[in-house]
Amino acid sequence: MSAVRDKAREIIDGALPSSTTVITSNGATAAKYAEMTGLTHKRLTDNWAGGGIMTGCNGFTGWYGTKLGSKTYLGGFDLEGIVKKAGKPQAWVLSTAGNRPQYGDILRHASFHVDVALDFEGERLWRAAGGQGGKKAGCDMIKRVKGATDYDPKKIVGWIDIDLYFGEAGAQQGIAVPDWMLGWWQITEGQSIYYYYFFRSGIVQFTSNDALIGKCPYLGDDVSGRFSIDIGRNIVIAWNDSSYARESFAPADDATPPALKGRFLDGAARAPLQAKKIAP
């Protein structure tokens, strides 16, 4: 993962070290809850007594964003508007069937809730979330939660991509990633076929398993890398595994059809690379 995602994991692991850790707005963890949401238990109960439904879900994402180093408070429901005001509109990613959040991204749910994406366990997404209690529970809670059903992109409005927000991705290196690049591509090298997935955040991953096409899982650091677009508008891929040669596909511009020719940059005599777009 990127440095900012490593930092995100450190923050979440420090606050919620296990799936059984629960930080409540009352009792022994009350002070920690107030630190992580900006809310006291009394403020919550006063709100509930007046018919309100206040919880600390957005306060928690605000705390989390600040811990990551954001100068803009990320504790709101209009995440798209927040990143636009921060001058980073490219960091807002709409949820579609062809993309998925990665560890540390801040999610806006369709159910008027915000929290932090963690890892996928199969098709179930783990999240770090405030707002896990309320009036009926007698307190609010912050904890890790796992989706009760398989991940459904329709239940997510979108998310703040923390790579894009904090400017570590290839997309931030001078030339924006065009929309036609995003998603699944088939890469042919001689008789070998691979499938690459390009994320807007500048991450690319590969697999030889065509059953994954149409999905967007995070497959692991050993089959992932970063891509950027150089001044000649070539797409350059550098894999995390240094034993894999860098690759270049060209050119990348708005007039490019969904097919590209590529080559390896290690100087060895190898078959050229052929790339064609196959799915969002």
Side-chain angles (χ1 to χ4, degrees):
M1 293 194 296
S2 64
V4 70
R5 294 194 190 278
D6 287 340
K7 185 174 181 180
R9 191 178 293 276
E10 181 181 335
I11 291 167
I12 297 300
D13 285 350
L16 300 168
S18 77
S19 60
T20 60
T21 303
V22 180
I23 299 171
T24 60
S25 61
N26 59 359
T29 58
K32 185 65 174 176
Y33 177 91
E35 174 195 339
M36 293 173 66
T37 64
L39 297 172
T40 63
H41 184 67
K42 184 178 186 306
R43 184 174 175 190
L44 290 169
T45 55
D46 286 350
N47 175 266
W48 299 338
I53 56 172
M54 179 182 287
T55 69
C57 72
N58 57 315
F60 170 66
T61 61
W63 169 86
Y64 165 75
T66 299
K67 294 287 282 186
L68 275 178
S70 176
K71 295 180 180 180
T72 299
Y73 186 67
L74 303 180
F77 294 106
D78 182 15
L79 298 181
E80 181 179 11
I82 288 172
V83 295
K84 284 182 178 178
K85 288 182 180 179
K88 300 179 180 182
Q90 75 282 353
W92 174 250
V93 179
L94 283 172
S95 178
T96 70
N99 63 10
R100 287 188 177 187
Q102 298 179 71
Y103 193 103
D105 290 338
I106 302 175
L107 307 176
R108 170 63 160 87
H109 294 252
S111 58
F112 211 73
H113 173 70
V114 290
D115 58 20
V116 179
L118 303 181
D119 292 310
F120 278 89
E121 184 179 318
E123 290 297 310
R124 305 290 177 94
L125 175 62
W126 279 92
R127 297 170 284 114
Q132 299 307 297
K135 184 176 182 178
K136 288 185 178 180
C139 65
D140 191 26
M141 307 174 204
I142 305 169
K143 61 182 181 178
R144 294 176 184 248
V145 293
K146 185 170 77 169
T149 60
D150 289 353
Y151 180 77
D152 183 354
K154 295 179 182 177
K155 293 183 179 180
I156 304 292
V157 177
W159 55 84
I160 297 175
D161 183 306
I162 60 173
D163 273 330
L164 294 177
Y165 185 82
F166 289 98
E168 295 192 15
Q172 297 303 300
Q173 298 184 14
I175 300 176
V177 179
D179 289 342
W180 56 260
M181 267 193 66
L182 306 176
W184 286 103
W185 290 70
Q186 178 179 299
I187 311 296
T188 303
E189 178 196 354
Q191 299 300 311
S192 300
I193 296 177
Y194 302 95
Y195 304 98
Y196 290 13
Y197 190 94
F198 291 90
F199 293 88
R200 189 178 295 278
S201 62
I203 290 175
V204 57
Q205 57 186 19
F206 75 88
T207 180
S208 57
N209 182 3
D210 60 5
L212 293 176
I213 297 171
K215 300 180 180 180
C216 181
Y218 184 69
L219 302 177
D221 288 352
D222 57 338
V223 291
S224 298
R226 292 190 171 276
F227 70 93
S228 60
I229 303 177
D230 67 19
I231 58 174
R233 306 200 71 85
N234 301 293
I235 302 164
V236 178
I237 298 174
W239 299 105
N240 291 338
D241 187 330
S242 60
S243 68
Y244 299 150
R246 289 190 306 142
E247 300 168 16
S248 177
F249 296 87
D253 57 53
D254 290 338
T256 300
L260 297 167
K261 293 183 178 181
R263 60 190 178 91
F264 292 100
L265 298 179
D266 61 359
R270 301 174 65 174
L273 299 169
Q274 304 291 331
K276 64 178 182 178
K277 182 73 174 287
I278 56 175

